[in-house]
Amino acid sequence: MVTAAPRSKTDTRNRTKQPRLWHVVLLDDDHHTYEYVIEMMMLVFAHSIERGFEIAETVDSEGRAICMTTHLELAELKREQMTSLGPDPRMEESAGPMTVLLEPADDGDDA
């Protein structure tokens, strides 16, 4: 006679909790050029020129753009790298870096 082995319950106590994800969000201003944004995206995120241009367009048209979604430590590093680039040398009125925010990604937004 063959008997089925009893099913074991999954022990949820040993599961690794996934880290919360964060959006790195670039805000628009009138003191940085498309070229600045594209170069920043290429340098900081290794995005292609085309992806950098898409982000520059989104920032310009919508006032903000998500550059990356990742865990908090990497998001903080990317924000620091972006702000360390400083003002846009192509624009005389550019006095500092663009504004970069970190927002929780678990609010239903797509990245």
Side-chain angles (χ1 to χ4, degrees):
M1 179 166 113
V2 176
T3 59
R7 291 185 176 204
S8 62
K9 290 185 178 182
T10 303
D11 186 359
T12 59
R13 293 176 291 170
N14 294 331
R15 286 191 183 173
T16 303
K17 185 176 179 180
Q18 294 299 315
R20 183 177 196 178
L21 295 178
W22 292 81
H23 294 310
V24 179
V25 181
L26 182 63
L27 300 184
D28 189 27
D29 64 31
D30 293 328
H31 305 290
H32 296 83
T33 61
Y34 269 49
E35 291 84 0
Y36 180 91
V37 174
I38 293 166
E39 289 172 3
M40 180 187 339
M41 294 302 109
M42 293 172 65
L43 180 65
V44 175
F45 299 100
H47 287 325
S48 66
I49 289 176
E50 295 80 12
R51 180 69 181 129
F53 182 76
E54 289 172 5
I55 291 172
E57 276 190 318
T58 301
V59 167
D60 188 37
S61 65
E62 297 179 18
R64 56 187 280 126
I66 296 172
C67 304
M68 173 185 242
T69 302
T70 187
H71 60 86
L72 182 59
E73 292 80 11
L74 183 55
E76 289 173 333
L77 173 64
K78 294 302 177 181
R79 176 181 59 192
E80 182 179 317
Q81 290 173 334
M82 293 168 77
T83 57
S84 73
L85 294 176
D88 186 342
R90 296 170 194 86
M91 296 189 75
E92 205 172 291
E93 66 271 13
S94 182
M98 293 185 76
T99 302
V100 183
L101 304 176
L102 301 183
E103 297 178 346
D106 57 4
D107 59 3
D109 288 350
D110 292 330

